[in-house]
Amino acid sequence: MGLEQVSGAKAFGGIQGVYRHASRETGTDMTFSVYVPPHEDGARLPVVWYLSGLTCTHANVTEKGEFRAACAQLGLIFVAPDTSPRGEGVADDPDGAWDFGLGAGFYVDAAQAPYAAHYRMWSYVTEELPTLIGAHFPADMDRQSIMGHSMGGHGALTIGLNHPDRYRAVSAFAPIVAPSQVPWGQKALSGYLGDDHAAWRRHDAVALIEDGARVPALLVDQGEADGFLERELRPDLLRAACAAAGIPLELRLQPGYDHSYYFISTFMADHLRWHADRLR
């Protein structure tokens, strides 16, 4: 698989790169970023996946996430994919809405036209891109974890719950925990997957837990001043599901914090330390 380096810069002794490749899953060029911390020759390092939220690309966390110092200290590779396919011929929301289509792939493999042709973010993130990372970077693919924000928090939770043997740690910032029950999720799941609500459950963290999916523990940070908290995010539903299932959930409600990268960057190092403890 060919890989083009778009940019690279030294940071905290490691290299922050941005890369592009032709994706077989999406049928488009895809761009992602990777931070590789300083390491000894021949070392294989654990990988933390970060999935971004609505309207974002790889660039939002790369530029604003403030993860590099912690990753350099902890010896973690940090991978940030894009949130959807892009380019000529890729379908967007017909009304130009910001919460569906480009930048809003919701980490599913679409089954509905016209989105099924390119919107295969589930397979891209869980299969194609890990193969690429393992082939081109000093990554120990037996030590992976996953985190994300908002729509990406939804993706991290659902991917982690569907692959508990692959990801040793799962955490999220302000995740959409029950997309089947909130407007953002209902719009995305119906638009990409159609009316098959059984298919929706595989992409709903609360439903997955209700159906028997388990992980050893979850860490979630949520800003109490987040304008999307009560309508779209509903961490109370995740708390109830985890309590019923016996999944240890550390749900930290952070007074005064909103939905932005000021919030994410404040608690990023905490999450990376939590991941590192489980990746050793």
Side-chain angles (χ1 to χ4, degrees):
M1 291 179 288
L3 187 65
E4 174 192 357
Q5 183 166 351
V6 177
S7 65
K10 189 168 184 177
F12 296 96
I15 298 296
Q16 176 64 67
V18 175
Y19 305 88
R20 181 186 300 120
H21 73 112
S23 168
R24 68 169 186 272
E25 289 292 347
T26 68
T28 67
D29 284 350
M30 294 294 288
T31 302
F32 61 94
S33 75
V34 180
Y35 177 71
V36 178
H39 60 282
E40 295 181 359
D41 289 346
R44 309 301 287 184
L45 307 176
V47 179
V48 178
W49 295 86
Y50 179 92
L51 305 185
S52 293
L54 289 164
T55 75
C56 291
T57 70
H58 69 282
N60 297 74
V61 69
T62 305
E63 297 169 1
K64 303 175 184 178
E66 299 183 24
F67 55 86
R68 280 172 286 269
C71 285
Q73 180 184 27
L74 297 166
L76 302 173
I77 293 176
F78 190 95
V79 182
D82 203 347
T83 50
S84 73
R86 302 175 193 272
E88 186 177 353
V90 177
D92 197 3
D93 185 276
D95 300 317
W98 61 272
D99 58 355
F100 186 79
L102 297 181
F106 244 79
Y107 304 101
V108 303
D109 286 346
Q112 297 289 105
Y115 305 102
H118 298 292
Y119 283 77
R120 295 186 52 80
M121 291 304 296
W122 179 273
S123 292
Y124 178 71
V125 168
T126 64
E127 301 299 335
E128 183 177 10
L129 191 52
T131 300
L132 200 67
I133 296 300
H136 291 274
F137 298 91
D140 180 352
M141 302 307 286
D142 290 328
R143 290 188 293 161
Q144 299 183 68
S145 69
I146 192 164
M147 58 163 42
H149 169 234
S150 193
M151 177 186 73
H154 140 78
L157 292 175
T158 57
I159 289 172
L161 285 161
N162 273 286
H163 298 282
D165 295 331
R166 182 187 303 182
Y167 303 98
R168 296 192 186 183
V170 183
S171 74
F173 303 98
I176 305 168
V177 305
S180 300
Q181 301 184 52
V182 301
W184 275 346
Q186 290 165 345
K187 179 177 181 178
L189 296 178
S190 62
Y192 293 133
L193 302 179
D195 296 329
D196 181 3
H197 285 232
W200 291 20
R201 296 187 72 81
R202 186 187 177 208
H203 298 286
D204 182 309
V206 167
L208 281 163
I209 293 169
E210 291 173 349
D211 291 345
R214 297 291 183 267
V215 290
L218 292 171
L219 171 64
V220 172
D221 272 297
Q222 172 64 62
E224 289 188 336
D226 189 324
F228 303 114
L229 174 59
E230 295 183 3
R231 177 177 168 86
E232 304 287 2
L233 305 178
R234 301 295 306 276
D236 55 301
L237 297 176
L238 182 64
R239 179 191 283 121
C242 287
I247 297 174
L249 167 66
E250 186 176 358
L251 174 59
R252 309 192 304 188
L253 300 177
Q254 304 291 359
Y257 284 92
D258 59 15
H259 200 68
S260 72
Y261 269 89
Y262 297 112
F263 156 64
I264 297 166
S265 63
T266 299
F267 301 103
M268 176 66 81
D270 285 354
H271 281 241
L272 291 170
R273 285 189 291 268
W274 192 83
H275 284 249
D277 285 344
R278 288 154 179 80
L279 288 166
R280 289 194 177 98

